[in-house]
């Protein structure tokens, strides 16, 4: 196995690589945010004229809400009735599984090729 | 600041490969503990409670313990591998030696993003806490930005100035924050005769059923996220083979205790609907206990926990970034060590603006999710890593500082729990998950087809190990 | 103008000070030492010096 000599990267190339990485990183977080896809579905069904009883709160809970600064049922109603929506489709679940498994498969495969090259250069051919 | 060179004569500066400078070996097991627990403990002060919102109080406890099992596996596996691969970069360096370069590049990015996002989340919490205190004293509309920026700048400066001072600072404030949790538990529990806890009246059935328990695993990770960061200190610890396993395993035990106590106190004081959406739950718990002393103590505890965490995150993220620069996985410019302070100073500086962008511009739960996802991808890598490690270098081929028991059961358990957590994340943040993995796929292709040409092949394998079996 | 306003300004000022200290030292270091020295750190020195991992 011949020894691989990498090219030396100049200042300009280094800066370009850093900028490429930065754009990709910030994109990964902000694109879902901008597209409004982020966050889980959150619904609140506040009843009209809520009372502590209709919100299912017992006296101890009411006392705690009061201590926390929610003096009347109406102010706490939105917090109390907030629920996540956990419904999902089998299709999107399968999609996710394929994406995750596929991702690791690609990584492990490419890594293996690169690793064999490293080992044979380090320890010499068999 | 003391003269660092006193302790450094023996190892650094006279490296066998012609190294002129290196990181400084000054840390002991207590610093490793402080680094691990310091990063994580903030999870007890904020963030874990979102798991209550996801599935109710009981679901949060189940998630807490299952995540505890997950992290115990992580700690055991990590301790074994890292007691052998002791170099800055931690899991990145492990992946480079055991799985391969592309995996290593991905792991390095997981580390940097998990920690940088966690750092941003901490800074956001500092701002939120300041605002809460200002509100309590009657000042409305505090500008949180200067406090967020100050937290990041101060800790970056501390990290820049040297690792010993940085982690000693972490040790002190982590110990205070941990003690605050214990004191809160003692003063509110029946042990000292008070009966402020109202578990009977406040606990409800599972509001979402068992699906909620699965969903709670998402934020259940937050109780412990970052404990694996202890390995980043490997190149700065005096005896890594002993101190790293010890500090890591002591750390996970500390956290299991702290997490359970936190859950117990909080659900006994707040209705779960509030707790599940609270910003600073332990501080709220202290307010509800009715004691001014506890309130002040837990306020300080929250501040210290966030600072310790951000501090450890800057330390860990910069080590990982530095290690990748040193191997030319990233521009080699980042592989520089400060000649006087012996820190990877360029990496520290570079990550400051990134943390600021996310701390000032993104909502907290998004930032936390970004961090959790990067962590989760990393934990999925670990079982693959340790199985390959044992296969390529069986126990009798190289000396290990620590051998984890019952192999491969921890690896299999860890992989299964990761699967469950992926499902939990999918339930609420499926889009982010896919966006995130799309990002890693694109970045991997970029690395494989462009960046890898600048990497020396054999030179990146630095451990004095024999040829791996099967190659 | 109450204590919190003052603290806001103080936080801005301190942030700027820490930032300036870091940047000043960074520029000074980079111009004093050559990249040859700064980039010379090596991975795995401890292993190479102390243990050869022979069982």
């Amino acid at each position: 196995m011949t020894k691989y000599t990498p090219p030396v990267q100049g200042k300009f190339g280094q800066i370009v690589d850093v900028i490429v990485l930065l754009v990709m990183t910030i994109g990964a977080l902000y694109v879902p945010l901008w597209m409004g896809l982020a966050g889980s579905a959150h619904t609140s069904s506040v009843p009209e004229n809520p009372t502590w009883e209709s919100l299912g709160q017992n006296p101890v809970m009411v006392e705690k809400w009061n201590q926390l600064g929610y003096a009347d049922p109406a102010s706490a109603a939105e917090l109390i009735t907030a629920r996540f929506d956990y419904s999902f489709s089998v299709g999107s679940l399968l999609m996710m599984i394929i994406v995750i498994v596929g991702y690791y498969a690609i990584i492990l495969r490419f890594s293996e090729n690169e690793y064999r090259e490293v080992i044979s250069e380090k320890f010499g051919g068999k | 600041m003391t003269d660092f060179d006193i302790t450094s004569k023996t190892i650094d500066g006279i490296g066998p490969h012609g190294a002129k400078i290196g990181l400084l070996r000054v840390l002991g097991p207590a610093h490793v503990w402080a680094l691990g627990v310091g990063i994580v403990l903030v999870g007890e002060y904020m963030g874990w409670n979102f798991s209550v919102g996801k599935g109710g109080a009981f679901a949060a406890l189940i998630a807490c313990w299952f995540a505890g099992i997950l992290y115990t596996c992580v700690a055991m596996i990590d301790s074994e591998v890292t007691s052998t691969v002791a170099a800055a970069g931690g899991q990145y360096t492990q992946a480079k030696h055991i799985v391969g370069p592309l995996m290593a590049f991905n792991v390095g990015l997981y580390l940097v993003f998990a920690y940088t996002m966690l750092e941003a989340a901490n800074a956001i919490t500092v701002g939120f806490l300041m605002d809460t205190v200002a509100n309590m004293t009657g000042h409305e509309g505090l500008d949180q930005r200067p406090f967020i920026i100050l937290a990041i700048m101060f800790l970056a400066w501390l990290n820049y100035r040297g690792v010993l001072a940085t982690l000693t600072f972490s040790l002190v404030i982590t110990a205070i924050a941990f003690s605050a949790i214990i004191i809160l538990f003692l003063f509110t529990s029946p042990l000292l005769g008070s009966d402020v806890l109202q578990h009977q009246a406040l606990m409800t059935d599972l509001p979402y059923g068992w699906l909620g328990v699965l969903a709670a695993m998402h934020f259940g990770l937050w109780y412990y996220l970052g404990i694996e960061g202890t390995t980043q200190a490997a190149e700065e610890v005096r005896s890594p083979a002993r101190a790293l396993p010890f500090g890591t395993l002591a750390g996970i035990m500390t956290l299991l205790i702290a997490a359970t106590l936190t859950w117990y106190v909080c659900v006994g004081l707040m209705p779960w609907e509030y707790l599940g959406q609270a910003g600073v739950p332990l501080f709220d718990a202290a307010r509800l206990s009715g004691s001014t002393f506890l309130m002040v103590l837990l306020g300080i505890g929250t501040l210290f926990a966030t600072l310790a965490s951000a501090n450890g995150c800057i330390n860990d993220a910069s080590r990982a970034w530095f290690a990748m620069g040193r191997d030319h996985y990233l521009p080699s410019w980042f592989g520089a060590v400060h000649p006087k302070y012996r820190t990877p100073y360029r990496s520290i500086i570079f990550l400051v603006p990134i943390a600021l962008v996310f701390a000032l511009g993104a909502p907290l739960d998004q930032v936390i999710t970004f961090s959790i996802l990067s962590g989760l991808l990393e934990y999925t890598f670990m079982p693959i890593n340790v199985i390959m490690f044992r296969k390529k270098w069986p126990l009798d081929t190289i000396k290990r500082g620590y051998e984890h028991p019952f192999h491969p059961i921890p690896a299999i358990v860890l992989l299964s729990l990761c699967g469950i957590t992926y499902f939990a994340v999918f339930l609420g943040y499926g889009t982010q998950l896919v966006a995130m993995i799309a990002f890693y796929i694109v970045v991997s292709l970029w690395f494989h087809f462009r960046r890898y040409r600048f990497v020396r092949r054999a030179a990146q394998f630095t451990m004095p190990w024999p040829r791996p079996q099967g190659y | 103008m109450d204590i919190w306003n003052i603290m806001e300004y103080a936080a801005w000022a301190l942030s700027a000070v820490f930032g300036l200290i870091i940047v000043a030292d960074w520029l000074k270091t980079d111009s004093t030492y050559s990249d040859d020295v700064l980039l010379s750190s090596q991975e795995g020195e401890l292993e190479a010096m102390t243990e050869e991992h022979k069982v």
Side-chain angles (χ1 to χ4, degrees):
Chain A
M1 175 87 196
T2 49
K3 192 169 175 328
Y4 172 80
T5 318
V8 177
Q9 195 181 23
K11 266 265 163 353
F12 181 71
Q14 299 198 15
I15 293 169
V16 169
D17 277 4
V18 169
I19 292 174
V20 169
L21 261 181
L22 274 181
V23 169
M24 286 193 284
T25 313
I26 295 182
L29 183 73
Y30 278 97
V31 166
L33 276 182
W34 285 327
M35 291 167 67
L37 294 170
S40 43
H42 211 249
T43 54
S44 281
S45 54
V46 182
E48 283 195 38
N49 301 321
T51 61
W52 290 118
E53 287 73 32
S54 70
L55 292 171
Q57 304 297 302
N58 61 34
V60 177
M61 293 174 181
V62 174
E63 185 198 328
K64 296 295 176 191
W65 284 110
N66 291 340
Q67 284 179 5
L68 286 163
Y70 298 89
D72 58 288
S75 58
E78 201 177 329
L79 274 182
I80 293 175
T81 56
R83 289 292 182 276
F84 290 105
D85 178 10
Y86 289 150
S87 59
F88 62 92
S89 70
V90 177
S92 58
L93 180 64
L94 282 178
M95 173 78 186
M96 183 199 71
I97 293 172
I98 292 169
V99 167
I100 295 174
V101 173
Y103 164 69
Y104 278 102
I106 295 174
I107 304 288
L108 289 175
R109 201 193 147 94
F110 281 173
S111 293
E112 182 71 16
N113 290 343
E114 292 167 351
Y115 189 70
R116 285 193 179 274
E117 197 188 351
V118 170
I119 294 300
S120 70
E121 188 180 311
K122 165 99 184 173
F123 295 99
K126 274 209 167 163
Chain B
M1 199 146 304
T2 53
D3 183 2
F4 280 139
D5 288 341
I6 292 172
T7 43
S8 71
K9 297 189 254 226
T10 47
I11 303 295
D12 66 356
I14 49 162
H17 318 294
K20 299 185 183 80
I21 45 172
L23 301 177
L24 209 51
R25 290 198 179 273
V26 286
L27 305 176
H31 294 104
V32 177
W33 176 89
L35 178 62
V37 177
I39 287 185
V40 190
L41 199 62
V42 69
E44 265 63 290
Y45 281 90
M46 64 97 177
W48 70 272
N49 54 305
F50 295 144
S51 69
V52 176
K54 284 268 172 185
F58 281 120
L61 183 65
I62 298 171
C64 167
W65 285 343
F66 271 93
I69 297 174
L70 187 154
Y71 277 92
T72 308
C73 296
V74 165
M76 289 199 304
I77 289 173
D78 223 26
S79 293
E80 168 166 335
V81 186
T82 207
S83 69
T84 322
V85 188
Q91 288 84 3
Y92 153 76
T93 316
Q94 301 173 8
K96 193 176 68 175
H97 284 87
I98 296 166
V99 183
L102 181 61
M103 186 81 242
F105 179 70
N106 277 268
V107 171
L109 290 185
Y110 304 157
L111 292 167
V112 173
F113 292 147
Y115 294 128
T116 309
M117 291 305 118
L118 179 49
E119 178 194 343
N122 289 319
I124 293 173
T125 308
V126 169
F128 181 77
L129 183 71
M130 285 297 176
D131 189 48
T132 308
V133 176
N135 270 325
M136 287 166 65
T137 59
H139 179 96
E140 297 273 320
L142 182 78
D143 187 0
Q144 300 184 13
R145 290 173 302 163
F147 300 100
I148 292 175
I149 298 173
L150 178 60
I152 291 178
M153 295 310 283
F154 167 69
L155 295 173
W157 171 77
L158 196 60
N159 269 278
Y160 188 96
R161 292 281 311 220
V163 72
L164 185 62
T166 303
L167 291 188
T168 306
F169 176 72
S170 263
L171 181 59
V172 173
I173 61 179
T174 303
I176 293 173
F178 180 63
S179 312
I181 295 182
I182 304 280
I183 292 172
L184 177 69
F185 169 72
L186 289 177
F187 275 84
T188 53
S189 75
L191 291 178
L192 288 181
S194 81
D195 58 343
V196 285
L197 297 182
Q198 306 267 9
H199 287 100
Q200 288 238 307
L202 289 173
M203 300 291 278
T204 61
D205 290 337
L206 293 171
Y208 296 100
W210 286 96
L211 191 60
V213 177
L214 284 181
M217 269 304 276
H218 177 182
F219 290 104
L221 292 198
W222 203 244
Y223 284 109
Y224 315 95
L225 190 110
I227 181 69
E228 73 282 356
T230 48
T231 55
Q232 298 298 331
E235 220 162 300
E236 288 146 288
V237 170
R238 285 191 299 265
S239 72
R242 196 175 56 86
L244 289 177
F246 179 79
T248 311
L249 294 173
I252 190 78
M253 289 174 213
T254 312
L255 290 170
L256 280 165
I257 296 168
T260 308
L261 293 186
T262 302
W263 177 88
Y264 179 78
V265 172
C266 286
V267 298
L269 282 169
M270 279 171 266
W272 75 269
E273 294 96 335
Y274 177 82
L275 183 57
Q277 300 171 64
V280 279
L282 269 176
F283 183 59
D284 286 332
R287 277 201 301 168
L288 290 178
S289 72
S291 150
T292 313
F293 162 71
L294 285 180
M295 195 179 78
V296 173
L297 182 69
L298 270 290
I300 292 172
T302 307
L303 182 66
F304 280 6
T306 50
L307 290 179
S309 178
N311 196 26
C313 286
I314 296 176
N315 182 82
D316 284 358
S318 60
R319 267 34 173 207
W321 197 259
F322 159 76
M324 288 202 284
R326 195 165 57 175
D327 288 331
H328 298 196
Y329 279 46
L330 294 172
S332 54
W333 187 79
F334 292 111
V337 173
H338 195 289
K340 191 155 140 225
Y341 304 134
R342 305 298 191 81
T343 51
Y345 68 109
R346 286 176 183 165
S347 303
I348 293 172
I349 294 170
F350 175 72
L351 293 173
V352 167
I354 296 185
L356 285 175
V357 164
F358 288 106
L360 296 172
L364 181 62
D365 68 327
Q366 299 300 322
V367 172
I368 288 184
T369 299
F370 208 76
S371 180
I372 287 179
L373 276 176
S374 292
L376 187 56
L377 290 168
E378 187 196 341
Y379 307 141
T380 313
F381 143 78
M382 283 182 180
I384 303 171
N385 187 40
V386 77
I387 288 170
M388 286 176 131
F389 184 50
R390 288 275 178 118
K391 222 172 99 196
K392 291 178 181 176
W393 291 276
L395 287 181
D396 55 353
T397 51
I398 52 175
K399 201 158 71 187
R400 289 157 159 88
Y402 168 85
E403 288 166 15
H404 80 276
F406 311 124
H407 179 78
I409 295 171
I412 294 168
V413 171
L414 178 52
L415 205 52
S416 327
L417 288 171
C418 285
I420 293 173
T421 314
Y422 278 117
F423 180 69
V425 174
F426 165 75
L427 283 179
Y429 295 80
T431 327
Q432 256 94 334
L433 184 64
V434 172
M436 184 98 185
I437 293 182
F439 160 74
Y440 280 114
I441 291 176
V442 172
V443 130
S444 295
L445 294 174
W446 174 78
F447 177 77
H448 184 77
F449 291 108
R450 168 172 160 80
R451 184 67 221 173
Y452 190 56
R453 78 177 64 143
F454 298 109
V455 178
R456 288 156 297 168
R457 301 298 194 252
Q460 56 179 315
F461 192 103
T462 59
M463 294 298 137
W465 295 351
R467 180 190 272 267
Q469 293 191 2
Y471 285 82
Chain C
M1 188 91 176
D2 64 5
I3 175 101
W4 287 100
N5 290 113
I6 298 170
M7 280 182 64
E8 278 174 21
Y9 287 116
W12 282 117
L14 275 173
S15 306
V17 169
F18 284 124
L20 284 176
I21 292 177
I22 294 176
V23 170
D25 186 83
W26 165 33
L27 296 177
K28 200 184 96 202
T29 306
D30 276 11
S31 57
T32 315
Y33 298 86
S34 72
D35 264 7
D36 238 18
V37 176
L38 296 174
L39 299 178
S40 70
S41 124
Q42 300 275 336
E43 181 177 290
E45 282 163 38
L46 182 77
E47 284 69 23
M49 290 190 74
T50 55
E51 301 171 16
E52 281 297 306
H53 282 291
K54 294 242 165 61
V55 180

